[in-house]
Amino acid sequence: MLKLKNIKASVEDKDILKGLNLEIKPGEIHAIMGPNGAGKSTLSSVIAGKEKFSVDAGEIEFEGEVINDLAPEERAHKGIFMSFQHPIEIPGVTTTNFVKAAVNAKRVAEGKEELTPGEMLRLIKEKSALLELDRKFLSRSLNEGFSGGEKKRNEIFQMAMLEPKLAILDETDSGLDIDALRIVANGVNMLRSPERSAIVITHYQRLLDYIVPDFVHVLYDGRIVKTGGKELALELEEKGYDWIKEEIDNK
Amino acid sequence: MAKNEEDKLINDVTNKEYEHGFVTDIESDTFPKGLDENVIRGISAKKEEPEWMLEWRLDAFKVWQTMEEPDWAHVKYKKPNFQDISYYSAPKQKPELESLDEVDPELLDTFKRLGISLDEQKRMSGVAVAVDVVMDSVSVKTTFQDTLAKKGIIFMSISDAIKEHPEMVKKYLGTVVPVKDNFYSALNSAVFTDGSFCYIPKGVNCPMELSTYFRINEEGTGQFERTLLIADEGARVSYLEGCTAPQRDENQLHAAVVELIAMDEADIKYSTVQNWYPGDKNGLGGVFNFVTKRAVAEKNAKISWTQVETGSAVTWKYPSTILKGDGAVGEFYSIAVTNNYQQADTGTKMIHLGNNTKSTIISKGISAGHSENSYRGLVSISPNAKNARNFSQCDSLLMGNTCGAHTFPYIEARNPTSHIEHEATTSKISEDQIFYCNQRGIDTEKAVALIVNGFGKEVLNKLPMEFAVEAQKLLEISLEGSVG
Ligand SMILES: Nc1ncnc2c1ncn2[C@@H]1O[C@H](COP(=O)(O)OP(=O)(O)OP(=O)(O)O)[C@@H](O)[C@H]1O
Ligand SMILES: [Mg+2]
């Protein structure tokens, strides 16, 4: 599904990703952990196509196609979704209006008809129920004045609406209370299928109890330096990152 | 009117002028360029106006000649040469086209994106419409007229009103916007040729939105429009002006005057969508729109101005309300968009004279390209106005670094019991907002439209339903190409 080949990326002349390789097959869930500032969010933005980050080397391949030159919305239309670590506020635009625009934009790009207001409403009701979102919440300005947890839940609601092939969840668990964590994880698991994949970025192994990953990677200083199974997350939680840093520095 | 009768009339009114070599060919549809007393007499004659109206115009012309064009607004433009304008043009017969294929494709494209129906597209672009459609629209108008007539509502062109209801026009014309109010109001008073008159009788709730579209004898929009709207005690009316379809016009200068009178307990909602030709990408061409709009609100009356301004090269416009009676309410909701080299200097004046009067100002300015967008507002509380309240909010949204947004709020509070609040913000559409939308599959142009509509929401929500939808699309089209 997704192949990252020796990705080097920088922002404002600062190198952040320094030769990153990663392959994700359909149906797989990959967790990415790593210390603050390692480049996890940068990796998400690079996959999603944020123009601010320049990809200086390497290829991003999605379903067999090199997408380095595609605009972010084109990548979105192909089925890439990113749940933002810090969701953005758009004053005056309701969540409903926003997801409506997003869903229809994608459908139009796929050559389908826009949903009728009735169909849209039904879909919104179904997905918001799934995430136990209060209806009032949907008519508020997008992310404006939302609590940290509400913003994250809203991201997952949008994901549920768009049903992406590849979901990148950047610290979606941070700021969530225990109940919300379960609900959000549920939302992700519902989408799980042999055709869909996800990248789950987190600092806490707890999320991985709910969303069980096939692989756990450690991203450190712009590279993936260690890969393992779910037990690696436990080990990291217990021991921190120092032992990994040492391993690398000794090489 | 028979030919020789008309000749006689013209002879009468222009008698003196012949001596001075009056050469205006009264038979022709358009007066030659230039402005003097003769031209005004000519207009009045063409309109078959009573003597008092002619006198009124001539007085206005004298006043105008003593005035100078104002230059305090934050706009720069080449002053029009008032002798280079023709002041009368007979109702234009649009060229009849066979089918929509003959219409400027760019115009059609815009119509389509505004969601304007095919029949409507034909009507607006001058294509001969099928008989049934004509019948249909005639019957709509007839039903419309019937409904209004039953309620005693008068709604007609100002020219007809001068002839059919002279006592009312005479009584109210120029009472809200005096002739000498400003340079353009004086000019308009001397030479206006089009516009609407509307009277809603006591206690009548006008059952439909009034728009000039439904006025019989529709003559198209003129260069010097004059609108006079009177809501008698306890009457209610919602009036729509303008339309969202692009207005191309060879007239560069537009100077309208609008006067609203809301008597005790009356309620007037006046909504405008202004979409005159803004000039091209390089700022060439485009309409100068210098408008004077003012309302008087008597006891417990309410005036609500809502405007969406996207057109014109230069806009100069301050719909204002004089809160004369105790408990009167004034509202001003405005969105002004400027792109490319457009300039807008717009806002409102709320003049609090009565006790317990209340005003609300919500102004949203959106600037893009190399444009300049200014809000200019006055909140004035007279010494006698006890417990007056005002809330003003002026928000500016900037797109790019080459445009300007300015706020000029003036507050004159001369009564210590008044309560005035003013808030102002300036924001930019951030890269992060655009990326967030892009990531959800929304392209940049749509993202800008979404964000701008969100920004203007409080104002858009005040527009009548069908206007609001079109206005949203209009904002989108006006800002096309403004983000790289
Ligand atoms: N726009 C930017 N300009 C300059 N430096 C940036 C920019 N964005 C990110 N960086 C830097 O790049 C590095 C990687 O940042 P990134 O946000 O990818 O880290 P992260 O792994 O997601 O960290 P965290 O766990 O704290 O979220 C950091 O040192 C950060 O300061
Ligand atoms: Mg991060």
Side-chain angles (χ1 to χ4, degrees):
Chain A
M1 164 140 329
L2 180 77
K3 264 189 209 153
L4 301 177
K5 298 182 204 160
N6 194 31
I7 299 291
K8 293 183 180 161
S10 59
V11 60
E12 287 156 18
D13 291 330
K14 182 178 181 233
D15 293 327
I16 300 172
L17 300 183
K18 303 170 179 172
L20 185 144
N21 292 289
L22 182 66
E23 179 170 357
I24 297 175
K25 297 211 171 71
E28 289 178 353
I29 291 192
H30 291 235
I32 297 184
M33 304 181 79
N36 294 131
K40 302 182 295 299
S41 295
T42 304
L43 173 64
S44 313
S45 298
V46 163
I47 299 170
K50 189 168 183 175
E51 272 140 30
K52 190 161 187 172
F53 295 93
S54 101
V55 177
D56 307 317
E59 278 184 355
I60 309 165
E61 205 184 287
F62 185 68
E63 297 196 302
E65 182 191 354
V66 175
I67 59 166
N68 286 42
D69 294 332
L70 291 190
E73 63 270 23
E74 293 170 314
R75 301 184 195 201
H77 298 154
K78 290 193 179 295
I80 296 176
F81 177 91
M82 165 178 162
S83 165
F84 284 57
Q85 182 176 356
H86 304 289
I88 309 296
E89 296 181 1
I90 306 189
V93 177
T94 62
T95 302
T96 309
N97 241 338
F98 184 73
V99 291
K100 212 169 80 185
V103 167
N104 279 335
K106 190 172 175 196
R107 291 184 66 90
V108 169
E110 287 167 345
K112 294 185 198 153
E113 292 273 304
E114 294 191 352
L115 288 185
T116 65
E119 291 167 332
M120 187 65 76
L121 199 67
R122 220 169 306 134
L123 190 64
I124 289 175
K125 276 188 185 162
E126 179 198 326
K127 302 297 184 184
S128 58
L130 193 74
L131 290 153
E132 300 177 31
L133 272 190
D134 194 335
R135 199 68 57 71
K136 269 184 276 175
F137 194 75
L138 294 172
S139 48
R140 277 172 57 183
S141 283
L142 188 64
N143 291 323
E144 207 183 22
F146 285 18
S147 77
E150 286 168 344
K151 286 184 183 170
K152 296 304 173 71
R153 209 193 286 208
N154 189 279
E155 293 288 287
I156 298 307
F157 164 65
Q158 293 178 38
M159 182 189 78
M161 290 291 293
L162 290 164
E163 303 191 329
K165 287 184 191 149
L166 174 69
I168 308 166
L169 310 184
D170 192 354
E171 295 196 27
T172 302
D173 53 335
S174 59
L176 290 182
D177 64 37
I178 309 284
D179 291 336
L181 185 68
R182 187 181 39 76
I183 293 164
V184 161
N186 231 348
V188 176
N189 287 330
M190 298 279 258
L191 275 187
R192 230 172 151 160
S193 84
E195 297 85 44
R196 291 185 219 280
S197 314
I199 297 174
V200 179
I201 297 171
T202 182
H203 286 296
Y204 309 102
Q205 85 84 32
R206 195 185 54 197
L207 176 68
L208 306 179
D209 285 341
Y210 293 98
I211 305 172
V212 182
D214 299 294
F215 299 94
V216 175
H217 308 278
V218 178
L219 203 165
Y220 173 66
D221 193 23
R223 268 177 284 250
I224 289 185
V225 295
K226 198 167 186 72
T227 296
K230 186 181 177 295
E231 61 295 340
L232 178 57
L234 283 168
E235 195 177 351
L236 290 171
E237 184 135 293
E238 208 173 295
K239 300 203 266 180
Y241 291 106
D242 281 352
W243 63 282
I244 293 186
K245 290 181 191 171
E246 266 166 41
E247 257 183 43
I248 295 169
D249 295 342
N250 290 340
K251 265 185 204 164
Chain B
M1 190 182 292
K3 176 81 171 64
N4 53 356
E5 267 179 54
E6 189 175 306
D7 281 349
K8 187 172 166 294
L9 181 86
I10 293 156
N11 237 319
D12 287 350
V13 292
T14 55
N15 210 349
K16 212 161 59 197
E17 284 65 40
Y18 277 123
E19 299 168 13
H20 300 99
F22 182 50
V23 288
T24 301
D25 176 7
I26 209 82
E27 289 298 290
S28 85
D29 273 347
T30 302
F31 283 12
K33 288 171 178 175
L35 181 57
D36 57 20
E37 268 193 33
N38 299 326
V39 168
I40 289 163
R41 286 176 194 280
I43 291 170
S44 199
K46 272 279 190 194
K47 293 279 175 190
E48 301 169 0
E49 286 175 354
E51 184 65 22
W52 63 266
M53 193 67 238
L54 173 63
E55 291 304 323
W56 199 82
R57 288 178 181 277
L58 290 172
D59 286 346
F61 180 62
K62 284 198 192 93
V63 170
W64 179 71
Q65 282 176 307
T66 67
M67 299 177 92
E68 280 189 32
E69 199 168 352
D71 57 6
W72 44 261
H74 190 79
V75 292
K76 287 199 191 82
Y77 60 95
K78 194 171 163 287
K79 301 233 153 101
N81 177 354
F82 294 97
Q83 296 303 334
D84 198 32
I85 293 172
S86 165
Y87 289 84
Y88 180 85
S89 195
K92 268 175 257 148
Q93 287 276 265
K94 287 184 182 164
E96 292 255 310
L97 305 177
E98 289 292 314
S99 79
L100 279 176
D101 297 343
E102 295 172 46
V103 180
D104 178 4
E106 199 190 320
L107 197 65
L108 282 186
D109 185 49
T110 313
F111 282 161
K112 237 185 14 232
R113 283 184 294 166
L114 285 168
I116 291 167
S117 75
L118 264 181
D119 287 338
E120 194 68 348
Q121 290 183 27
K122 288 183 183 164
R123 189 185 70 79
M124 287 189 287
S125 46
V127 174
V129 271
V131 174
D132 56 333
V133 178
V134 173
M135 293 300 286
D136 205 43
S137 80
V138 167
S139 70
V140 167
K141 276 183 194 173
T142 316
T143 328
F144 186 83
Q145 288 299 327
D146 280 354
T147 316
L148 293 185
K150 273 191 204 121
K151 300 247 174 193
I153 294 168
I154 304 168
F155 185 38
M156 55 176 57
S157 76
I158 190 92
S159 305
D160 288 345
I162 289 166
K163 283 178 282 184
E164 292 176 34
H165 300 280
E167 70 299 335
M168 262 201 263
V169 177
K170 204 170 172 177
K171 183 167 171 195
Y172 293 109
L173 190 72
T175 57
V176 187
V177 178
V179 167
K180 59 177 187 304
D181 186 78
N182 68 71
F183 184 80
Y184 299 109
S185 67
L187 178 62
N188 175 288
S189 301
V191 303
F192 73 86
T193 48
D194 303 275
S196 302
F197 174 83
C198 178
Y199 171 78
I200 318 285
K202 259 185 208 174
V204 169
N205 186 353
C206 183
M208 49 192 52
E209 316 263 357
L210 292 185
S211 89
T212 44
Y213 171 54
F214 284 113
R215 201 186 65 204
I216 42 165
N217 303 331
E218 172 60 62
E219 289 163 8
T221 322
Q223 218 179 339
F224 300 99
E225 284 222 21
R226 186 93 195 185
T227 301
L228 179 56
L229 196 164
I230 301 149
D232 211 326
E233 289 172 21
R236 297 171 71 90
V237 62
S238 169
Y239 188 95
L240 311 180
E241 172 200 65
C243 83
T244 51
Q247 299 283 296
R248 302 244 167 154
D249 200 296
E250 65 273 24
N251 294 323
Q252 198 184 25
L253 175 67
H254 284 251
V257 171
V258 174
E259 298 179 278
L260 311 184
I261 295 164
M263 299 195 194
D264 293 0
E265 320 279 339
D267 186 328
I268 301 176
K269 184 176 167 66
Y270 194 99
S271 313
T272 306
V273 171
Q274 187 268 116
N275 188 21
W276 295 105
Y277 181 53
D280 67 11
K281 285 203 160 46
N282 303 312
L284 290 174
V287 166
F288 296 172
N289 196 23
F290 303 133
V291 183
T292 308
K293 290 183 165 179
R294 196 173 303 150
V296 171
E298 302 285 351
K299 200 173 141 213
N300 294 328
K302 180 176 168 189
I303 301 281
S304 186
W305 298 101
T306 306
Q307 58 174 26
V308 175
E309 301 278 319
T310 64
S312 298
V314 182
T315 302
W316 181 99
K317 177 175 187 180
Y318 316 92
S320 304
T321 303
I322 300 166
L323 300 154
K324 189 172 162 213
D326 291 351
V329 174
E331 296 174 342
F332 175 74
Y333 300 100
S334 167
I335 297 179
V337 179
T338 53
N339 196 1
N340 299 319
Y341 286 87
Q342 282 178 273
Q343 307 174 67
D345 195 299
T346 181
T348 186
K349 293 183 211 166
M350 292 291 178
I351 315 288
H352 292 254
L353 302 180
N355 294 326
N356 303 311
T357 45
K358 201 175 133 196
S359 62
T360 305
I361 299 172
I362 308 281
S363 162
K364 304 271 179 176
I366 300 153
S367 354
H370 295 269
S371 68
E372 293 288 332
N373 201 330
S374 305
Y375 167 81
R376 187 182 303 277
L378 168 68
V379 175
S380 163
I381 315 274
S382 91
N384 301 326
K386 267 184 275 171
N387 296 320
R389 290 175 159 269
N390 163 267
F391 174 75
S392 304
Q393 184 184 325
C394 304
D395 298 326
S396 307
L397 185 67
L398 292 166
M399 301 169 70
N401 299 316
T402 50
C403 54
H406 316 273
T407 308
F408 305 101
Y410 304 95
I411 296 170
E412 295 169 3
R414 278 167 301 181
N415 185 306
T417 62
S418 65
H419 187 85
I420 298 175
E421 275 177 83
H422 179 88
E423 289 175 9
T425 66
T426 301
S427 53
K428 274 196 168 195
I429 294 185
S430 72
E431 265 176 55
D432 285 342
Q433 285 175 321
I434 299 280
F435 176 63
Y436 190 72
C437 295
N438 288 164
Q439 206 302 304
R440 298 301 188 249
I442 302 165
D443 67 34
T444 300
E445 214 127 82
K446 279 266 177 326
V448 169
L450 201 65
I451 295 166
V452 164
N453 277 313
F455 173 76
K457 190 183 183 180
E458 288 155 279
V459 177
L460 291 170
N461 281 348
K462 296 289 171 186
L463 287 172
M465 202 35 193
E466 65 275 25
F467 241 33
V469 176
E470 288 183 21
Q472 280 185 23
K473 292 191 198 140
L474 185 61
L475 291 185
E476 184 174 339
I477 291 169
S478 309
L479 288 166
E480 246 162 40
S482 57
V483 168

